Amino acid sequence: MTHLQEKTFKTSGLHTHIVKTEKFKTVTILFKMLSPLSKDHVTMRSLFPHVLLRGTEKMPKTGELRAYFDELYGATVSADMAKKGENHVITFRLEMANEKYLKDQTPLLEKGIALLADLLFHPYLEDGAFSQIYVEQEKRTLKQRIQAVYDDKMRYSNLRLVQEMCKGEPYSLHVNGEMEDIEGITETTLFKAYEHALQSDQLDLYVVGDVDEQEIKRMVTEYFKTTEREPLKQNIEPRRAQIERKEVIDEEDVKQGKLNIGFRTHTSIADEDYPALHLFNGIFGGFSHSKLFINVREKASLAYYAVSRLESFKGLMMVMSGIEVANYQQAVDIIQEQFEAMQKGDFTDEAIEQTKAVVKNQLLETIDTSYGTAEYLYQHAVIPTGETLDSFLEALERVTKEDIIKVGQKIEWDTTYFLKGTEGAS
């Protein structure tokens, strides 16, 4: 069964991906900008997308833009940031009704694409740079977004794990940049960063919906005026001869301790044994039938939550759990027991089959939304593996117990991070 069919074409510096499907009554358009993560650029890259969404040459006032979106049957546009391994990805997302399903046969899609192109390529400028008012307002909002991570102790503890585990590596940078770098940004330096990104980033455009492929090609060629560029030089993942296991403990006034553990898997989405790693993680801590959930949370009642997840591009596996401070060592010991049990093959064929079924359902649920469809396909634009969803599902089915043990034996425990409650915190 073919789950996803993607048509691609290239214009100067831009790869366009069209997924024609009647599954959705809307059209989703994602514009993605990818660049290697760097301390010098990450904060400005997290700021300028939000400034772009404030106004265009034709509609300099944010209120005008909002009114125009209402005219487009309540279309919405947003921007967000992500890390894919050592890369920083900016995503602009436009969601709109499909004109095929409207009584009024207005050229809605073309208006939407033209507006997105205006936002991206024809921003509102003052004296050859971004509007000072918009930049200052968005700087304040960016500070709030970064602060929100520090206020949410679950997210904060995960950030601290990554900072300690990947010290000196680009991946240690926060996706929204660094608080101390915000104040020094000016409307001129930000505009230069935007121009640099537009000229040098890897650019991908996704259109998902019941659309005419030739019409999309015409519109993209007409409105998206991008320039040719050299292929990006990827940050190379450092290979360590030996990993020294380390423990980091922070104290803060928190009621619940946060235990986060980072592992180096030495397997990425581009590797042949990635499907086996996916299943290793699923049996270990990815789902409610996993070893961590059953043994740490249910049997020992040590954790409020205990899960593991993969960073598929960087080759990391991270365990996250919330525990009472007094239970720290016992929780670490049980997690280690379960990890070693996985490496020795102490899991059943039934667990393998159950995990295969859950992973498959999870992937099919992902592509059941237009956004999920585009995000899934984009993985293979970041690292071109040539793999399709169908071939991945087939590879998943072929994975044996021996394959899971083998991929598991490559995994190394790297960093244990504990956010411990201070005295007086219950």
Side-chain angles (χ1 to χ4, degrees), residues 26 66-76 95-99 101-109 111:
T26 57
R66 287 183 184 141
Y68 188 62
F69 276 116
D70 289 341
E71 282 179 38
L72 299 181
Y73 290 85
T76 60
E95 291 271 359
M96 57 197 312
N98 190 324
E99 62 205 51
Y101 302 101
L102 300 174
K103 286 178 184 172
D104 171 19
Q105 291 293 305
T106 181
L108 198 59
L109 181 57
K111 285 184 175 182

Side-chain angles (χ1 to χ4, degrees), residues 90-158:
I90 300 167
T91 301
F92 293 89
R93 176 180 177 181
L94 175 65
E95 291 271 359
M96 57 197 312
N98 190 324
E99 62 205 51
K100 288 187 175 182
Y101 302 101
L102 300 174
K103 286 178 184 172
D104 171 19
Q105 291 293 305
T106 181
L108 198 59
L109 181 57
E110 182 150 10
K111 285 184 175 182
I113 285 178
L115 177 58
L116 182 60
D118 270 353
L119 288 164
L120 294 168
F121 305 114
H122 307 289
Y124 171 56
L125 304 179
E126 293 173 354
D127 300 322
F130 287 131
S131 155
Q132 185 182 1
I133 292 171
Y134 288 166
V135 170
E136 290 305 318
Q137 287 173 342
E138 292 304 330
K139 278 164 70 170
R140 283 197 294 276
T141 307
L142 180 58
K143 285 178 184 175
Q144 290 165 3
R145 270 198 296 277
I146 293 173
Q147 186 59 46
V149 176
Y150 288 84
D151 296 339
D152 179 339
K153 296 310 176 189
M154 193 187 288
R155 289 162 70 197
Y156 172 70
S157 58
N158 193 57

Side-chain angles (χ1 to χ4, degrees), residues 253-254 270 316 326 328 345 412 423:
D253 186 10
V254 291
L316 305 180
Y328 169 66
E412 294 182 89
E423 235 180 330

